[in-house]
C-alpha cells in the first residue's frame, strides 16, 4: 500500500510538465495524452507491486525470525516476571535451599497410555520402523499409515498377547514416560525437580511396562514384574539399605498393587520374595490420581469408545486421536484396537452397587454441582450466576452409570420398566459382516441383541459387568480371567491367592508391613464423568449401535448433567470416590483389607487453572495428568523421598467431601 | 563451551566437579544413534531382533566412559548394576548364560568387570569364584584394545593424532568443526585429560610387547601388510598407489620408537641416539613458569618450563616403556590419578597378592582369566586399514599462547613404500587398534592353558578384511573393517548371531585370520 502511494507521487511530477505545456491546448488532447503514460507504468507497476509486496513480507519474516533467534532464551520468563512479579521457585530449588538431599531411591510406575511403545518386529507395512516409537513421541507414523499403525498396536483378540509376527515393546529407561509427546510432560517436571536435590540415574527408576497387557501377562511375556523386583532390590542394595519410595500414577497404581501381591506370593504364580519383601524394600507408596476402584470413563470407553473424550486414551493424547486419521471409521478402528488391550478392563468400576450406588442411591447422592462450578467457573463455559444452586441440589442418580434416555436417568426406580437382556438371544447375523471391514463384536449381536440391551434401560455398577459380557463376550472372557471386580466376603478364602484378584483392593489384603505408608494424592475441583445417558444410534449397518445422547442437558445452569454426562468432583478422569475411598476408609486404621495397619494419608490438590498463557499447563493444576506438574504435589513427593513421614507433611489435606461419602458406604471392614 | 564444561570431569578427583552431574544414558538408547546417522549398535541390535531378541534379553551396559573403571562403581555403582542385570537376564531367560559383546574400550572395561565380580567385597562384587562360569557363555570382543593403542599416547601427549583419538572418531561432526574457536585442541586436551579412562588405553606390556628402540614384533612386514591387505585401498589416504613391495625397504621401520623427535631420530640405529635418562626431567623443577596467565585454557604444559620441554625433545626417541616417564613429566596430575587406577606392566608372578588390587584388573598381562573352562573368548576385529603405530614429533614454534609445545611433524613423509606418512607410522589394524593389540592375547597370551588363562578357556580370532563400500548407496558399508564401522559388518553380525543362538566357536569355523598376527605373536618373547 505504501508503495502505491509513492508510485502516484512520482508519477505526478512526470505528468506535470506535460500539463503545463499543454495548458493552452484543449482538454481533449490532455485527456488523450494522459492515459498513455499512465498505462505503461500501471501494467508494469502491478507486477512490480506484487514483487515488492512479496519482498517486503519475506524480509519482514526473516527479520522477525532473526529477532526471534537472537532473543535470549529467558526472554519469555523475563516478560512473565515483569508482568506478574517473580515466579515462585520450583520446588526442587526451594527444598534444596532448605537443605534436603536425596535419600530414598524413587521408583516411578507410569499409567496407562503414557508409556512409550516401540516396534521390535513388524509386518511388511512397518518396514524401517525398527525401534521407532509407535506410541508416544510425535505419533508420526500414525498420520502416515494409520491402518498399519492400528494393526501393530492391536493385540491378539483371543490371548491378549502379541499377534503373530508383531512385537511391540515398552521403551525402557526414564525416557519411557518423561514426555508423552513433545512438549507434553508427564514425569519430566518431577524428575527435573528430584534431580535438583541430588537424584540421578542410579537413584531413580522408571518401571516401564507394556500397559496394553493384563498385569500378569507382563510377567508372562516380558518378565516385567521380575525386573521391577530385581531393580528395586538393586536400588536398595546400592543405596545403603534405604528403602524405595514408589510413585505410581493412574493405572500404575493398580499395577503396583498387583506387584505387591505378586512379589510376596510363592513361585510360580508369584515372585517368591517372601512375606516380608514389601516391609523390607518399600518405605512409601505415593499414588497419584489413583483409580483404586476403577473409573466410569472406562465403561463408556469399552461400551462405545466414547466418553466426553474418547475414554482414557483420548484424555492422554489430546489432539492426536481427535483427528479423523482413519477416515470416517475412526471410532470403530479405535474400538477394535483398544478392545484388544486387556489392561483397560482393570479400570472397570469395582465393588459394584455397594461402592458406586444402586438404582436409587449413591454415595455422592446430593452432590452440589453448582458449588463446584462456581469454584472453577473458567473451566466450563457455564455462566456464573448462583441462582441454580438450590435447585441443583436435587438428587442425581449417580448409581445409574448407564441409562437409556434422560428421563430414565431421573425418574424413580419403580417407574422403570425393564426387560432383562441376559437371556435374550442374540439375533442371527443380520448385518452383513463382510461389508464391514472393521470388526467389533457388535456385528455379531444382531438387531434384537441391541434392542434388548436398550430395553433394560438402566445399568448400575453391578449390572454393567453383565452388560459388557453380553456386548463384548470375547473381551470379557479375557477380562474375567485376569481381573475381578467384586468385594471379598472372606479374604482368607484360598481362591484369593489367584492373581486375578491382586489388583482389586477390595479383594486383597495389603502386605504385612506396618512401617510402610500409603498416600493417595489427587486433584479435586474438576468436573469428572460419573454416569452417562445413552441412546440407540439410527440403524446403519456398520455402526456402533450405542452412543452418548449429547442432547441430554440438565435443566438448570448448575446441573450436573451436561452433554449426556453426569459429572462429579474429581480430577477430570477419576472421581474422588475412586481415588480417595480406600485411604479414607477401606484401609484407614487396622481393617480386614489392611491387617497390619499401614498408615494412609490423603493429599488433595485443589485445581487452579494456569493464571496466564505463559505458564503452560500450570503449576497448580489438579487435572489427571497435569497434576504431575503441580508444585505442591512435587514438594510433598520430594519431602517424602528425602525422608519425611506423612505426619511431617501434615497428615491429611482434604478439600472434597470424601470422608462424608465414605461414611455412607456400607462396607464391612 | 557449555557442552565442554559438562563433559569434563574434575581434574583432581576424577569425579564430578561440584554442581555438575552428567550421567550415562541407560538402556538401549544409550549407545545406538548417539550421534545422528552414526550407527554403532543399531545395526547389530536390529539383526538380533530379527531372530527374536528384544528388550528383555538385550541389555546395554551403559557406563560413564570418562571415569576410570573402578570409579564407575564408586560413583554410579555401574558394576553392581551390570552384575545384577546379568543375573536377572540369566534367571528370566530360563537359566541360559549370556553372551557379552563389548566394543573398543568396553573390552577392557569388561575385563575389569570379570575380575571385579569374583573378588570379595568391598573392593569387588562378591560374586564368588564360579560366577563367570555360571553366567557367561562367551565374550565376543569387537575391536578389542587389550594391549592399548598408540593413538592414546599422542592424544594425551599433544591432543592430536590423525584424528583426535576415539573421542573424535565417535563424534565426528562435533569436534571437527572448530566450535571452540582457535583453541580447539587446547580445550579438547583440557577436557580429555580429565577423563581417566583414556589412560586405560595407553600401550600395555612395555617393550616386551611393543618393541624397543631397535626391535618390534611387526618388523619387516608392517607396511607390507598395509599394502597387500587392502588392494582396494590404494586410492585412500595412504602412501602407495604403486604396487611395489615393502621388502625393498632396506631398514625395517622401527615401530618400537613410539615417539621420536624428528624423522631422522626415528630411523637411526639406536647407538647413535643421544640417551638422556628420561627420569631426569621428571625432577626438573617448574620454577620458571613462563607466562601462565596467557591463556585461560589450562593444560599442564603451562607449568612446564621451556627448558624441560627442550630436554624432552633432546631425548629423541621413546619406547612403550620410557613413554610413561615422558607422560609423567608432561602431565603429572593426570598420571598420578591414572596410576591409582591402571597399571600397564607385565606381571612376573600372578599369584602375588598385590594383584588383588583393582588397578591391575583391566590389564590382561597382569590378571588371570576367571576359572571358567566352558567360557569362550572371541577377538573380532577388522584388518587391512593403516593404523597409527608410532609418531614423529617436533617442537611447536615457541609462540606465547600456543600452549601445546609438541606437534606431530606432518612434514615427515617416508618413501613410497615405508609406513611413514605425515609424521605417523602405520601398521595393519582397524584404523584405531593395531592388530597386535587386538589379537595377541587371543593368539598367544590366552591360547591354550597359560598362566594368564589357567582354566584353559577357548579363544578364537575372527578377522574381517576391510572393503570399502562398493557404491555410495551402501552408506558406510557392510564389509567395513574400520574400528566403529565394523559394527555394521555383515560377517561379524552373522558370527555374533550364531553364537548368541547357541553355536560354539568351533561351529562357526574357529579362527579366521588374514593378518600376520600369529607370526607377530611368536616373535614376542613373553613367558606364558
Amino acid at each position: 500500500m505504501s508503495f502505491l502511494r509513492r508510485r502516484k507521487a512520482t508519477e505526478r511530477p512526470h505528468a506535470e510538465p506535460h500539463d503545463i505545456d499543454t495548458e493552452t491546448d484543449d482538454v481533449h488532447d490532455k485527456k488523450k495524452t494522459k492515459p498513455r503514460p499512465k498505462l505503461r507504468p500501471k501494467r508494469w507497476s502491478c507486477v512490480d507491486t506484487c514483487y515488492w509486496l512479496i519482498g517486503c513480507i519475506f524480509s519482514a519474516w526473516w527479520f522477525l525470525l532473526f529477532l526471534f533467534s537472537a532473543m535470549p532464551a529467558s526472554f519469555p520468563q523475563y516478560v512473565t516476571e515483569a508482568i506478574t512479579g517473580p515466579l515462585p521457585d520450583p520446588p526442587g530449588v526451594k527444598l534444596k535451599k532448605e537443605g534436603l538431599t536425596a535419600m530414598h531411591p524413587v521408583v516411578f510406575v507410569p499409567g496407562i497410555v503414557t508409556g512409550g511403545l516401540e516396534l521390535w518386529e513388524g509386518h511388511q507395512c512397518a518396514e524401517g520402523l525398527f525401534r521407532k516409537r509407535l506410541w508416544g513421541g510425535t505419533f508420526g507414523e500414525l498420520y502416515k499409515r494409520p491402518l498399519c499403525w492400528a494393526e501393530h498396536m492391536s493385540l491378539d483378540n483371543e490371548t491378549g498377547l502379541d499377534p503373530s509376527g508383531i512385537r511391540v515393546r515398552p521403551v525402557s529407561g526414564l525416557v519411557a514416560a518423561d514426555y508423552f509427546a513433545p512438549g507434553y510432560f508427564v514425569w519430566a517436571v518431577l524428575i527435573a525437580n528430584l534431580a535438583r536435590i541430588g537424584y540421578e540415574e542410579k537413584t531413580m527408576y522408571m518401571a516401564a511396562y507394556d500397559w496394553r497387557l493384563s498385569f500378569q501377562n507382563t510377567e508372562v511375556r516380558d518378565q516385567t514384574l521380575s525386573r521391577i523386583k530385581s531393580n528395586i532390590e538393586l536400588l536398595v542394595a546400592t543405596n545403603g539399605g534405604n528403602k524405595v519410595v514408589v510413585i505410581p500414577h493412574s493405572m500404575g497404581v493398580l499395577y503396583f498393587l498387583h506387584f505387591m501381591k505378586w512379589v510376596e506370593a510363592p513361585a510360580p504364580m508369584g515372585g517368591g520374595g517372601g512375606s516380608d519383601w514389601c516391609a523390607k524394600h518399600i518405605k512409601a507408596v505415593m499414588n497419584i490420581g489413583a483409580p483404586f476402584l476403577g473409573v466410569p470413563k472406562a465403561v463408556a470407553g469399552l461400551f462405545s469408545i466414547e466418553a466426553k473424550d474418547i475414554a482414557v486414551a483420548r484424555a492422554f493424547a489430546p489432539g492426536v486421536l481427535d483427528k479423523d486419521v482413519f477416515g470416517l471409521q475412526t471410532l470403530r478402528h479405535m474400538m477394535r484396537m483398544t478392545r484388544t488391550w486387556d489392561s483397560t478392563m482393570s479400570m472397570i468400576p469395582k465393588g459394584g452397587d455397594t461402592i458406586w450406588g444402586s438404582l436409587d442411591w449413591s454415595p455422592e447422592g446430593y452432590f452440589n454441582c453448582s458449588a463446584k462450578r462456581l469454584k472453577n467457573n473458567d473451566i466450563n463455559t457455564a455462566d456464573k450466576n448462583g441462582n441454580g444452586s438450590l435447585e441443583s441440589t436435587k438428587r442425581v442418580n449417580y448409581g445409574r452409570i448407564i441409562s437409556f434416555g434422560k428421563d430414565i436417568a431421573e425418574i424413580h426406580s419403580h417407574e422403570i420398566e425393564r426387560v432383562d437382556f441376559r437371556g435374550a438371544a442374540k439375533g442371527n447375523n443380520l448385518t452383513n459382516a463382510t461389508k464391514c471391514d472393521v470388526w467389533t463384536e457388535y456385528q455379531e449381536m444382531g438387531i434384537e441383541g441391541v434392542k434388548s440391551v436398550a430395553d433394560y434401560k438402566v445399568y448400575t455398577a453391578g449390572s454393567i459387568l453383565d452388560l459388557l459380557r453380553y456386548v463384548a463376550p470375547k473381551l470379557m472372557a479375557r477380562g474375567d480371567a485376569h481381573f475381578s471386580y467384586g468385594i471379598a466376603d472372606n479374604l482368607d478364602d484360598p481362591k484369593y491367592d489367584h492373581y486375578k484378584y491382586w489388583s482389586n483392593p477390595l479383594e486383597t489384603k495389603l502386605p504385612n508391613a506396618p512401617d510402610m505408608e500409603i498416600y493417595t494424592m489427587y486433584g479435586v475441583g474438576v468436573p469428572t464423568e460419573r454416569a452417562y445417558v445413552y441412546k440407540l444410534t439410527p440403524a446403519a449397518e456398520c455402526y456402533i449401535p450405542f452412543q452418548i445422547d449429547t442432547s441430554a442437558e440438565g435443566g438448570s445452569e448448575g446441573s450436573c448433567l451436561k452433554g449426556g454426562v453426569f459429572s462429579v468432583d474429581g480430577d477430570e478422569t477419576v472421581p474422588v470416590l475412586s481415588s480417595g475411598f480406600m485411604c479414607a476408609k477401606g484401609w484407614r486404621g487396622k481393617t480386614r483389607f489392611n491387617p497390619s495397619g499401614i498408615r494412609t494419608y490423603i493429599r488433595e490438590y485443589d485445581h487452579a487453572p494456569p493464571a496466564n498463557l505463559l505458564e503452560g499447563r500450570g503449576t497448580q493444576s489438579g487435572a489427571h495428568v497435569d497434576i504431575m506438574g503441580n508444585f505442591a504435589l512435587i514438594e510433598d513427593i520430594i519431602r517424602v523421598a528425602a525422608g519425611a513421614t506423612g505426619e511431617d507433611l501434615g497428615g491429611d489435606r482434604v478439600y472434597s467431601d470424601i470422608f462424608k461419602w465414605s461414611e455412607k458406604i456400607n462396607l464391612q471392614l | 563451551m557449555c557442552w565442554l564444561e559438562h563433559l569434563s570431569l574434575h581434574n583432581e578427583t576424577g569425579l564430578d566437579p561440584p554442581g555438575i552431574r552428567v550421567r550415562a544414558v541407560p538402556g538401549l538408547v544409550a549407545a545406538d544413534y548417539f550421534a545422528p546417522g552414526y550407527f554403532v549398535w543399531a545395526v547389530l541390535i536390529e539383526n538380533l531382533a530379527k531372530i527374536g531378541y528384544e528388550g528383555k534379553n538385550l541389555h546395554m551396559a551403559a557406563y560413564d566412559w570418562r571415569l576410570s573403571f573402578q570409579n564407575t562403581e564408586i560413583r554410579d555403582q555401574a558394576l553392581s548394576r551390570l552384575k545384577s542385570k546379568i543375573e536377572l537376564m540369566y534367571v528370566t531367560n530360563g537359566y541360559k548364560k549370556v553372551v557379552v559383546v563389548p566394543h573398543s574400550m568396553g573390552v577392557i572395561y569388561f575385563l575389569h568387570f570379570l575380575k571385579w565380580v569374583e573378588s570379595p567385597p568391598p573392593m569387588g562384587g562378591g560374586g564368588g569364584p564360579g560366577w563367570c562360569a555360571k553366567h557367561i557363555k562367551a565374550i565376543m570382543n569387537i575391536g578389542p584394545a587389550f594391549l592399548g593403542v598408540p593413538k592414546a599416547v599422542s592424544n594425551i601427549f599433544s591432543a592430536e593424532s590423525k584424528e583426535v583419538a576415539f573421542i573424535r572418531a565417535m563424534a565426528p561432526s562435533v569436534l571437527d568443526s572448530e566450535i571452540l574457536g582457535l583453541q580447539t585442541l587446547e580445550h579438547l586436551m583440557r577436557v580429555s585429560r580429565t577423563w581417566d579412562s583414556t589412560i586405560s588405553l595407553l600401550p600395555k606390556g612395555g617393550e616386551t610387547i611393543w618393541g624397543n628402540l631397535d626391535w618390534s614384533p611387526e618388523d619387516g612386514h608392517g607396511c607390507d601388510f598395509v599394502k597387500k591387505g587392502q588392494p582396494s585401498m590404494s586410492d585412500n589416504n595412504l602412501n602407495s598407489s604403486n604396487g611395489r613391495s615393502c621388502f625393498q625397504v632396506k631398514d625395517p621401520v622401527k615401530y618400537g620408537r613410539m615417539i621420536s623427535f624428528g624423522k631422522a631420530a626415528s630411523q637411526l640405529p639406536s647407538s647413535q641416539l643421544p640417551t638422556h635418562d628420561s627420569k631426569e626431567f621428571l625432577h626438573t623443577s617448574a620454577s620458571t613458569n613462563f607466562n601462565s596467565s596467557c591463556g585461560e585454557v589450562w593444560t599442564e604444559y603451562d607449568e612446564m618450563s621451556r627448558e624441560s620441554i627442550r630436554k624432552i625433545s633432546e631425548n629423541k626417541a621413546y619406547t612403550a616403556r620410557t613413554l610413561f616417564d615422558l607422560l609423567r613429566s608432561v602431565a603429572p596430575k593426570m598420571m598420578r590419578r591414572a596410576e591409582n587406577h591402571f597399571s600397564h606392566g607385565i606381571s612376573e608372578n600372578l599369584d602375588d597378592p598385590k594383584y588383588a588390587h583393582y588397578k591391575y584388573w583391566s590389564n590382561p598381562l597382569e590378571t588371570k582369566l576367571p576359572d571358567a573352562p566352558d567360557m569362550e573368548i572371541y577377538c573380532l576385529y577388522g584388518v587391512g586399514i593403516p593404523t597409527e603405530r608410532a609418531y614423529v614429533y617436533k617442537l611447536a614454534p615457541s609462540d606465547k599462547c600456543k600452549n601445546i609445545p609438541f606437534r606431530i611433524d606432518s612434514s615427515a613423509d617416508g618413501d613410497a613404500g615405508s609406513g611413514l606418512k605425515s609424521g605417523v607410522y602405520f601398521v595393519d589394524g582397524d584404523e584405531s587398534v593395531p592388530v597386535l593389540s587386538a589379537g595377541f592375547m587371543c593368539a598367544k597370551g590366552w591360547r591354550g592353558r597359560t598362566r594368564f588363562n589357567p582354566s584353559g578357556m577357548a579363544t578364537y580370532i575372527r578377522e574381517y578384511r576391510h572393503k570399502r563400500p562398493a557404491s555410495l548407496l551402501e552408506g558406510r558399508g557392510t564389509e567395513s573393517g574400520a574400528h566403529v564401522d565394523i559394527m555394521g559388518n555383515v560377517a561379524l553380525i552373522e558370527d555374533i548371531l550364531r553364537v548368541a543362538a547357541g553355536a560354539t566357536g568351533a561351529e562357526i569355523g574357529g579362527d579366521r585370520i588374514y593378518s600376520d598376527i600369529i607370526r607377530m605373536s611368536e616373535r614376542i618373547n613373553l613367558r606364558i
Side-chain angles (χ1 to χ4, degrees), chain A residues 6-40:
Chain A
R6 207 188 320 152
R7 190 191 61 80
K8 269 180 184 153
T10 51
E11 189 200 20
R12 187 162 294 148
H14 184 70
E16 207 95 59
H18 192 76
D19 282 352
I20 295 161
D21 284 349
T22 55
E23 189 76 282
T24 50
D25 291 358
D26 61 342
V27 185
H28 184 71
D29 192 33
K30 184 177 157 194
K31 266 182 185 168
K32 229 174 171 182
T33 48
K34 205 163 187 180
R36 220 185 300 135
K38 213 175 194 173
L39 208 70
R40 241 177 57 87

Side-chain angles (χ1 to χ4, degrees), chain B residues 209-262:
Chain B
I209 301 289
W210 294 95
N212 55 24
L213 287 178
D214 287 325
W215 171 89
S216 74
E218 289 106 328
D219 272 355
H221 31 87
C223 77
D224 181 29
F225 279 94
V226 168
K227 276 186 153 174
K228 278 220 257 167
Q230 37 160 0
S232 61
M233 285 282 290
S234 51
D235 52 346
N236 202 24
N237 52 1
L238 194 70
N239 39 23
S240 54
S241 50
N242 54 355
R244 275 196 309 154
S245 160
C246 260
F247 291 120
Q248 289 157 354
V249 180
K250 288 127 204 153
D251 285 335
V253 180
K254 295 182 168 55
Y255 291 117
R257 302 176 188 179
M258 281 213 180
I259 288 184
S260 4
F261 282 90

Side-chain angles (χ1 to χ4, degrees), chain A residues 120-121 130-131 167 169 172-173 175 195 198-202 221-223 226-227 230-231 234 238, chain B residues 21 23 26-29 32 45-46 49 52-56 58 75-77 80-81 84-85 88 92:
Chain A
W120 278 83
E121 183 183 342
F130 178 69
R131 297 205 52 232
R167 282 184 295 143
R169 294 290 179 264
S172 59
V175 290
Y199 278 91
E200 56 192 40
E201 174 58 31
K202 67 176 175 185
R221 197 193 71 182
D222 295 339
Q223 286 83 43
S226 300
R227 271 156 200 283
S230 155
N231 271 302
L234 179 67
T238 54
Chain B
R21 280 183 291 141
R23 287 296 176 267
L28 290 163
V29 282
D32 69 77
I45 291 172
E46 187 160 358
Y53 280 88
E54 58 191 52
K56 67 174 173 184
L58 291 173
R75 198 194 68 179
D76 295 340
Q77 285 83 40
S80 301
R81 251 153 227 286
S84 144
K85 281 280 159 18
L88 175 66
T92 55

Side-chain angles (χ1 to χ4, degrees), chain A residues 55 58 66 70 78 84 124 133 365 372 400 512 638 657:
Chain A
F58 268 76
F66 168 75
Y78 179 77
T84 63
Q124 195 70 38
R133 279 198 184 197
K372 173 196 59 184
R400 303 173 190 183
N512 179 25
I638 293 179
D657 292 334

Side-chain angles (χ1 to χ4, degrees), chain B residues 125-151:
Chain B
W131 192 95
C132 295
K134 188 178 163 200
H135 292 96
I136 299 175
K137 169 183 158 43
I139 304 174
M140 308 198 73
N141 303 297
I142 300 177
F146 280 123
L147 303 177
V149 287
K151 221 180 224 186

Side-chain angles (χ1 to χ4, degrees), chain A residues 499-515:
Chain A
Y499 60 79
K500 76 176 188 177
Y501 300 103
W502 288 346
S503 60
N504 182 355
L506 298 172
E507 291 180 304
T508 47
K509 291 184 220 174
L510 285 180
N512 179 25
D515 293 336

Side-chain angles (χ1 to χ4, degrees), chain A residues 292-314:
Chain A
F292 280 121
L293 302 177
V295 286
K297 223 181 220 183
V299 174
L302 286 168
F303 191 52
S304 66
I305 275 295
E306 56 182 349
K308 210 168 75 201
D309 36 15
I310 294 181
V312 198
R314 202 186 241 182

